[in-house]
Amino acid sequence: MTESPATKPVDGEACERVKNGLKPERNGLVRSLHRCHERQYKHHSLADEEEVHTASHYGSLYTQPFLESFEETPMLVAVLTYMGYGILTIFGYLRDFLRHWKIERCYIAREKEEQRDFVPLYQDFENFYTRNLYMRIRDNWNRPICSVPGAKMDLMERMSNDYNWTFEYTGRVVQEVINMGSYNYLGFAENTGPCADSVAKVTAEYGVGVASTRQETGNLDKHEEMEKLVAQFLGMESAMAFGMGFATNSMNIPALVGKGCLILSDELNHASLVLGARLSGSTIRVFKHNNMQSLEKLLREAIVHGQPRTHRPWKKILIVVEGIYSMEGSIVRLPEVIALKKRYRAYLYLDEAHSIGALGPRGRGVVDYFGLDPCDVDVLMGTFTKSFGAAGGYIAGKRELIEFLRSHSHSAVYATSMSPPVVEQIITSMKCIMGEDGTTIGRERVTQLAENTVYFRRRLRELGFIIYGNNDSPVVPLMLYMPAKIGAFGREMLKRNIGVVVVGFPATPIIESRARFCISAAHTTDMLDRALSVISEVGDLLQLKYSRHRKRPLAARPFDDSVYEDIDD
Amino acid sequence: MNFKNLREYLAWLYFQYLLITGIYVLEPWEKSIFNSILFTAIAMVIYTSYVFVPIHVRLALEFFSGICGGQPESTVALMN
Ligand SMILES: Cc1ncc(COP(=O)(O)O)c(C=O)c1O
């Protein structure tokens, strides 16, 4: 989860050398690695040991400071968290025992009597967890809403008489709940305004869909228009769109790589990428989250050893990373990934699901954020589900790549084409971001989002919470740790009219439960302040202000640029 | 946190206890089982220590004074 700061200068230095056009073989890399480490220790002993905190802006790789922090879990909290899980597990076994002997009614699926001697279906840890821990705090998830999920929303009130096994609607509506949970980064989830108007017009004109694939009769002029626009927006040669972001990943990776290829995947990649990689049948190696040293090691091993047993070289090596990781709030170290990819001649698949629209001065995603050339990324994938307030996904790249995918990707050949109203929503919102609608609304939203993010993150840190991730990432995970606090946080926040998403195990490691806020451009400063004061109040009530670095601002650590100067001999 | 009175403070303390042990999410009857077991255990620990600690302390004192008390004479004798 956390990464070692000691790895940073190695990559930075190594990559810089590539940039300078020197051959990597020229200096003994092992030697330079050692030297970097020595220096790094010296440098690092000044800093405090506990917080794993990386600031890297060596050389020309990063144009702005790259600040990412994953404060370590306090020891006491970790111990208490395990203790809490232990107690809950004991009670889980007690309840399972009661259910087994029919002392208590069992509401959930269980082994059937007539299947007694078959392989048990409901006995693994995940089922135990669902039955005995998740069910107790289930009221925090899947809350039905009855309005647009914009900056504020209306929730349908529900209650449970049997401790969350069943819910009843009371018929009342909880109004004006501040929505801190939707991936509505640019606030395009609206039912009024220019997007909604043109969508309504297109619905009247085209209907809601033609129920056919793109290769048969489902190809409309709107689709072509959107794909051109997407390619133009991203600055790529060509692009194609799919009706579902998840399928874009899981169906196109198998089309790109197969047996005899190697996929290097970040350990925290989204389920769709994992599924796609597995379906492809290629070998998968996983590197530590956002850790470039780990990636480089795997790349080098792959090139030196080739395929297992035969030792033939790999046909293709594909690095799969995401722009913003939605659970950690971290941003990929793209400049270093690109440098590594160029150096080792690998291909790069970048999933911009959360970053497109949300990052970069022009809203063009991580590539724009780092000021890089989009053509350095071989496969640029993203979804329209988040920032654009629509649905679906795209893949952009070289013309040949897209033409290949058009005829070989399962989701292009078999899936029905996108619904025209959805396509229109994408077109209007994208034009708005590009400023092609003649207004500056899009631009303003992008800057508003960046401001909101920095403000919200700074205030949370000042309040003393442990938050993860990059300073510029609009996904803000706030650590809760203890199992009971997951439930309590969600409930107390809703009581105070704020809707938040809380996340626990399977989605996170078992002790790192968290609440995840998603900042939107639609949040006004007022709303953010209200949310912050409520979070602070609930944080006091639940004792969530774990951070031991309350006073020290993140950027305060001085960075000595001269440290690496004499290395490039 | 500011509290208006002692009751509020105690309620907050109890809430913290619920959260940290995790029994916040349990059903009331499970909470009472947990509380009774915990308090019985604590009560027994306190009772045992009340009964046995004085005895142990006395025994320990006797033991150590047995070791240290025998020595001085011979040391003095040696020094003389
Ligand atoms: C990184 C990543 N890729 C792909 C997807 C799937 O997108 P969609 O929800 O449009 O199917 C998600 C959605 O959560 C995601 O986070």
Side-chain angles (χ1 to χ4, degrees), chain A residues 244-246 249 270 272 322 326 351 353-354 381 383 385-386 392:
Chain A
M244 178 181 168
F246 194 98
N249 279 335
H270 188 254
S272 55
E322 281 180 40
S326 58
D351 181 340
H354 291 268
M381 179 271 165
T383 67
T385 320
K386 278 94 189 175

